[in-house]
């Protein structure tokens, strides 16, 4: 048995160093001495998968299950091998069995959910970032230099029914694995089945790395794992200096493991040492690339750099690194972060652009163009004035006048509404709105706008004349007013409402009931709409 343990240790070391053929050789020799050892078959399955001998990896996984049917890892080995063989339905069943045996395995659960999601999405080659994903993976990057491969991908995008006839091409299998989130280069390590779980939204909750088969690890790696555990315990207690000591010791013992470097970066992040955190993450990415780390872990490092830049309010760099994270592994969390950063950047740009002095200069240029009758150019200057000072109502009012001249009444009304929203006491805005509505022959609505202006200044000549003119139009041709109002979809909806019809009938027989109905904001708003349309009169 000592010889078996020695051969297993040699196999583990070779697998860790990427010497897959040597690992297979050592595990095979160990199996010859102890053919009932399920761990040996499990590890050889991983080695076969790493050397892309997926059928042999599946056979060893099946043997593992036969020897120990209650061991979850045997089924996850089988599930991984089946993915690379293109048998995705069978793979899902294997992972489901693994999860039943070990319900606490979060990584397997996330892996299974992601696999099911991707399966439900149908054709993996229909993803919008198809070529970005393939180009960013070192395994598939070289395929994109082959025009025949590009042609094959396009055929599969257009006709997914061809998929079953193309699975004999290993490039297609590997491409599917990359697109569906399976890292063919790392997935089958001796001590890792499913990919690492993605980083939680809150940075304080340091993700728990996967459990390892510690009895399979070389002594220094086993000691490094122990140091990491001690570091995690200190981290949870926010004893960051002690955590750093343990994480640094883990790095000394196993400098090829990216997780330890990321844990150090997490400590620096909590200590608000963002520059140190960034430097540590960059080092982690370098080490991860050299040692073929899971692309999800690389994405996590980029994300943490993005978090650091965000804390430093360097929005541009934060966006760059969130995008790099997305290029490694797309998640809803990072997509949301990118969206938030874009909003922040746009708002910052908007604020930086504000300049009241330049706004006045643009307004004067607009006035000159307006007087010259060049209304289109005047609109450009007023629009620039608005961008330079978006909280001044007069620029919207001036642009509304231009839109009126250009017969763009809907745009003019929009500007008038914005104008009086900023300053409800800006009388020119109400008058301008009244004139536009009057020009559109919406006399009842225009009357309401003029009334708002008269409430602010009862002696305003423009408001008085506008109000009088609209009142005459309403009284002289009420049938035309009613006919025009009935084409308004909102008016039609109100009049079709049985409750509103009942209220209108009640108003005819009992005018006093109106006061009670006006206490209801929804009813009051609908009555106001009918009033503005000229369909009712309230005395």
């Amino acid at each position: 048995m000592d010889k078996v343990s020695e051969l297993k240790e040699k196999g583990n070391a070779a697998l860790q160093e990427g010497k897959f053929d040597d690992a297979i050789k050592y595990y095979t020799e160990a199996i010859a001495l102890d053919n009932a050892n399920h761990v040996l078959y499990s590890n050889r399955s991983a080695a076969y998968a790493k050397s892309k001998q997926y059928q042999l990896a599946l056979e060893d996984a099946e043997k593992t299950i036969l020897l120990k049917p209650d061991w979850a890892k045997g089924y996850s080995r089988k599930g991984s091998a089946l993915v690379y063989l293109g048998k995705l339905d069978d793979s899902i069943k294997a992972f489901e069995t693994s999860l039943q045996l070990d319900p606490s395995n979060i990584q397997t659960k996330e892996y299974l959910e992601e696999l099911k999601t991707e399966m439900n999405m149908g054709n993996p080659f229909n993803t919008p970032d198809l070529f970005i994903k393939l180009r960013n993976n070192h395994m598939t990057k070289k395929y994109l230099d082959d025009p025949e491969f590009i042609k094959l991908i396009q055929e599969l995008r257009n006709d997914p029914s061809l998929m079953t006839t193309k699975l004999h091409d290993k490039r297609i299998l590997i491409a599917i694995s990359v697109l569906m989130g399976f890292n063919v280069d790392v997935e089958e390590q001796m001590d890792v089945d499913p990919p690492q779980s993605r980083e939680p939204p809150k940075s304080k909750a340091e993700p728990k790395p996967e459990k390892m088969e510690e009895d399979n690890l070389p002594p220094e790696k086993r000691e490094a794992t122990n140091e990491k555990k001690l570091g995690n315990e200190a981290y949870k207690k926010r004893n960051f200096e002690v955590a750093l000591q343990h994480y640094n010791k883990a790095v000394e013992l196993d400098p090829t493991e990216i997780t330890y470097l990321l844990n150090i970066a997490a400590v620096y992040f909590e200590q608000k040492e963002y520059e140190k955190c960034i430097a540590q993450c960059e080092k982690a990415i370098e080490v991860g690339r050299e040692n073929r780390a899971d692309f999800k872990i690389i994405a996590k490092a980029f994300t943490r750099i993005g978090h650091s830049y965000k804390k430093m309010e360097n929005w541009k760099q934060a966006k760059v690194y969130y995008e790099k994270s997305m290029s490694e592994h797309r998640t809803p969390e990072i997509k949301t972060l990118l969206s938030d950063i874009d909003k922040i950047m746009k708002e910052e740009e908007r604020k930086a652009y504000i300049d009241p002095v330049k706004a006045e200069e643009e307004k004067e240029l607009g006035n000159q163009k307006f007087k010259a009758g060049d209304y289109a150019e005047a609109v450009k200057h007023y629009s620039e004035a608005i961008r330079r000072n978006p909280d001044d109502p007069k620029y919207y009012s001036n642009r509304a006048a231009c839109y009126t001249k250009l017969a763009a009444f809907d745009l003019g009304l929009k500007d008038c509404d914005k104008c009086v929203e900023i300053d409800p006491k800006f009388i020119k805005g109400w008058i301008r709105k009244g004139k536009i509505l009057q020009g559109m022959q919406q006399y009842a609505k225009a009357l309401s706008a003029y009334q708002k202006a008269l409430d602010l200044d009862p002696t305003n000549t423009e408001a008085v004349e506008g109000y009088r003119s609209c009142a005459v139009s309403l009284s002289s041709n009420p049938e035309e007013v009613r006919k025009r109002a009935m084409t308004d979809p909102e008016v039609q909806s109100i009049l079709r409402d049985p409750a509103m019809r009942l209220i209108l009938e009640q108003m005819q027989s009992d005018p006093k009931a109106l006061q009670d109905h006006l206490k209801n904001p929804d009813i009051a708003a609908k009555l106001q709409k009918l009033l503005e349309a000229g369909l009712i009169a309230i005395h």
Side-chain angles (χ1 to χ4, degrees), residues 59-103:
E59 291 173 10
D60 268 0
E62 296 278 16
K63 184 66 175 178
T64 303
I65 293 169
L66 183 64
L67 290 170
K68 193 167 178 60
D70 61 344
W71 196 46
K73 177 158 279 191
Y75 293 95
S76 61
R77 290 273 186 240
K78 180 180 178 179
S80 296
L82 287 167
V83 167
Y84 305 128
L85 290 170
K87 300 176 180 179
L88 303 184
D89 289 329
D90 292 339
S91 173
I92 287 177
K93 292 176 183 177
F95 280 116
E96 284 176 338
T97 304
S98 177
L99 197 59
Q100 287 172 5
L101 292 169
D102 184 10

Side-chain angles (χ1 to χ4, degrees), residues 235-329:
Y235 180 94
K236 290 172 185 176
K237 296 174 183 177
R238 302 189 65 79
N239 193 343
F240 297 130
E241 292 304 323
V242 173
L244 277 177
Q245 292 173 15
H246 289 297
Y247 291 145
N248 280 312
K249 182 64 177 176
V251 172
E252 289 176 19
L253 292 164
D254 185 5
T256 65
E257 177 54 58
I258 184 176
T259 304
Y260 307 149
L261 296 167
L262 282 179
N263 286 359
I264 293 171
V267 172
Y268 286 142
F269 187 89
E270 289 298 324
Q271 292 178 323
K272 297 182 172 55
E273 296 277 0
Y274 301 122
E275 294 286 359
K276 287 185 178 180
C277 177
I278 291 168
Q280 194 69 26
C281 287
E282 288 173 343
K283 183 179 178 182
I285 292 167
E286 183 180 342
V287 169
R289 296 282 195 211
E290 289 174 357
N291 293 278
R292 298 180 177 182
D294 193 307
F295 65 102
K296 292 185 180 181
I297 305 297
I298 300 293
K300 187 181 296 184
F302 281 127
T303 298
R304 190 157 288 154
I305 294 176
H307 289 338
S308 297
Y309 278 119
K310 186 179 179 183
K311 287 289 186 180
M312 296 161 69
E313 297 187 1
N314 187 336
W315 315 117
K316 187 176 181 180
Q317 284 297 96
K319 181 179 179 180
V320 167
Y321 282 93
Y322 285 145
E323 286 174 341
K324 287 185 177 183
S325 176
M326 285 282 278
S327 71
E328 295 288 333
H329 178 55

Side-chain angles (χ1 to χ4, degrees), residues 214-226:
E214 293 186 17
D215 61 326
N216 292 336
L217 296 176
E220 66 277 4
K221 290 185 180 290
R222 196 154 51 236
E223 190 178 344
T225 301
N226 188 53

Side-chain angles (χ1 to χ4, degrees), residues 27 31 34-49 54-81 94 97-98 101 188-190 193 213 216:
Y27 291 138
I31 288 170
D34 183 8
N35 62 5
N37 190 324
H38 65 281
V39 173
L40 294 175
Y41 286 100
S42 173
N43 286 359
R44 192 171 69 173
S45 175
Y48 276 136
Y54 303 123
Q55 185 58 44
L56 291 175
L58 176 60
E59 291 173 10
D60 268 0
E62 296 278 16
K63 184 66 175 178
T64 303
I65 293 169
L66 183 64
L67 290 170
K68 193 167 178 60
D70 61 344
W71 196 46
K73 177 158 279 191
Y75 293 95
S76 61
R77 290 273 186 240
K78 180 180 178 179
S80 296
T97 304
S98 177
L101 292 169
E188 296 299 334
Q189 285 185 8
M190 168 198 63
D193 274 320
E213 292 175 28
N216 292 336

Side-chain angles (χ1 to χ4, degrees), residues 337-349:
L337 284 168
L338 267 174
S339 178
D340 291 343
I341 287 291
D342 279 334
K343 289 176 184 176
I344 292 171
M345 289 177 69
K346 286 177 182 177
E347 181 61 17
E348 291 290 318
E349 288 173 6

Side-chain angles (χ1 to χ4, degrees), residues 66 107 166 223 232 251 260 280 315 334 363 365 369 382 385 435 442 452 456 513 517 528:
L66 183 64
Q107 288 77 28
K166 305 295 182 183
E223 190 178 344
N232 288 350
V251 172
Y260 307 149
Q280 194 69 26
W315 315 117
I334 303 304
K363 185 200 76 171
L365 291 171
K369 293 294 182 181
Y382 291 139
K435 286 184 175 180
Q442 295 184 19
K452 292 280 189 182
L456 295 169
H517 291 308
Q528 180 64 28

